[in-house]
């Protein structure tokens, strides 16, 4: 049924979102839980499960979409708190940071994309909130005002060029998205950067 085709992907997203918690609290092998889900379980399930029916775009936020923003920030703070006494070379620190980064990047930026396309300014701010916590606030400007205008052209940082290696695409895209945002709305882009730096400084001072 339609509801069943949607509920399985939703449960996988929920499991993925919560996956760093066992590692952060229990450590040990649980620190591999998030990478295992991201790089094994989700790709395999994508191959085996039938395509899900997308939820209608632009409607009321789903429960998962509405509840995630607070968890997003809390997960980053929890991760910083749990590794505060670890050496920089500690495998536990690396795996903890990787787990939190995978979820807040993959889930956080994806959900932020949904929020920044909403009609209400308050909802768009939620998307910007998610993005500045992962150092990607400028994406909200470039994606809406640059990508949608230039998609498929060399002016669009998110569009891969024919035959472009992935290793070259990623740094070029990151730079071009930043440059595009700075050209479109320089003050807002710098405000997003300042917000990210303020969050980083606050976490550093707190932990």
């Amino acid at each position: 049924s339609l509801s069943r085709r949607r509920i399985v992907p939703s449960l996988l997203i929920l499991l993925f979102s919560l996956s760093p918690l066992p590692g952060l609290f229990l450590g040990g092998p649980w620190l591999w839980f998030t990478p295992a889900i991201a790089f094994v379980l989700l790709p395999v399930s994508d191959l085996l499960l039938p395509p899900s029916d997308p939820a209608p775009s632009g409607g009321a936020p789903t429960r998962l979409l509405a509840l995630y923003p607070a968890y997003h920030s809390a997960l980053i703070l929890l991760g910083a708190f749990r590794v505060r006494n670890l050496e920089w070379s500690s495998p536990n620190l690396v795996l903890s940071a990787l787990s939190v980064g995978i979820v807040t990047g993959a889930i956080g930026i994806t959900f932020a994309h949904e929020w920044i396309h909403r009609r209400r300014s308050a909802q768009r701010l939620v998307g910007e909130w998610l993005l500045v916590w992962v150092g990607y606030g400028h994406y909200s400007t470039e994606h809406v005002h640059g990508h949608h205008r230039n998609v498929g052209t060399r002016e669009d940082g998110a569009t891969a060029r024919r035959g472009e290696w992935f290793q070259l695409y990623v740094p070029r895209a990151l730079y071009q998205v930043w440059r595009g945002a700075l050209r479109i709305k320089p003050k807002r882009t710098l405000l997003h950067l300042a917000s990210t730096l303020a969050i980083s400084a606050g976490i550093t001072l707190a932990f």
Side-chain angles (χ1 to χ4, degrees):
S1 67
L2 179 63
S3 60
R4 288 181 181 178
R5 288 202 299 269
R6 286 181 181 170
I7 195 170
V8 173
S10 296
L11 289 175
L12 286 173
I13 293 172
L14 180 60
L15 173 65
F16 185 34
S17 300
L18 299 176
S19 64
L21 298 181
L24 292 177
F25 284 110
L26 301 176
W30 285 106
L31 289 168
W32 292 97
F33 191 41
T34 299
I37 292 177
F39 302 120
V40 180
L41 178 61
L42 291 181
V44 170
S45 66
D46 194 43
L47 291 173
L48 298 179
L49 292 175
S52 61
D53 297 285
S57 178
T62 64
R63 291 180 182 178
L64 193 58
L65 189 65
L67 292 174
Y68 178 81
Y71 172 74
H72 180 82
S73 305
L75 181 60
I76 293 173
L77 292 173
L78 175 62
F81 176 76
R82 296 297 292 180
V83 303
R84 68 192 186 285
N85 295 323
L86 298 179
E87 298 291 336
W88 282 98
S89 58
S90 168
N92 287 356
L93 185 148
V94 173
L95 287 170
S96 297
L98 180 64
S99 297
V100 172
I102 288 173
V103 168
T104 56
I107 300 295
I109 293 177
T110 301
F111 280 9
H113 172 265
E114 295 301 312
W115 284 111
I116 62 175
H117 280 294
R118 300 285 166 163
R119 293 181 179 179
R120 297 178 182 177
S121 59
Q123 292 179 326
R124 294 196 298 273
L125 282 174
V126 174
E128 294 180 46
W129 167 270
L130 293 174
L131 291 168
V132 297
W133 274 84
V134 294
Y136 211 46
H138 56 281
Y139 170 81
S140 62
T141 296
E142 202 285 330
H143 180 77
V144 174
H145 301 285
H147 168 72
H148 284 295
R149 180 185 304 168
N150 301 315
V151 62
T153 70
R154 294 180 70 87
E155 293 298 317
D156 178 41
T159 299
R161 295 166 184 172
R162 184 182 296 274
E164 185 175 24
W165 288 7
F166 178 76
Q167 295 88 336
L168 297 178
Y169 164 74
V170 171
R172 179 192 62 77
L174 291 174
Y175 166 72
Q176 200 168 341
V177 168
W178 162 258
R179 185 187 66 182
L182 197 59
R183 288 177 174 176
I184 296 167
K185 291 188 177 183
K187 291 183 179 179
R188 193 165 191 82
T189 299
L190 294 177
L191 177 61
H192 287 147
L193 175 60
S195 300
T196 296
L197 294 175
I199 291 170
S200 301
I203 292 174
T204 302
L205 293 173
F207 303 128

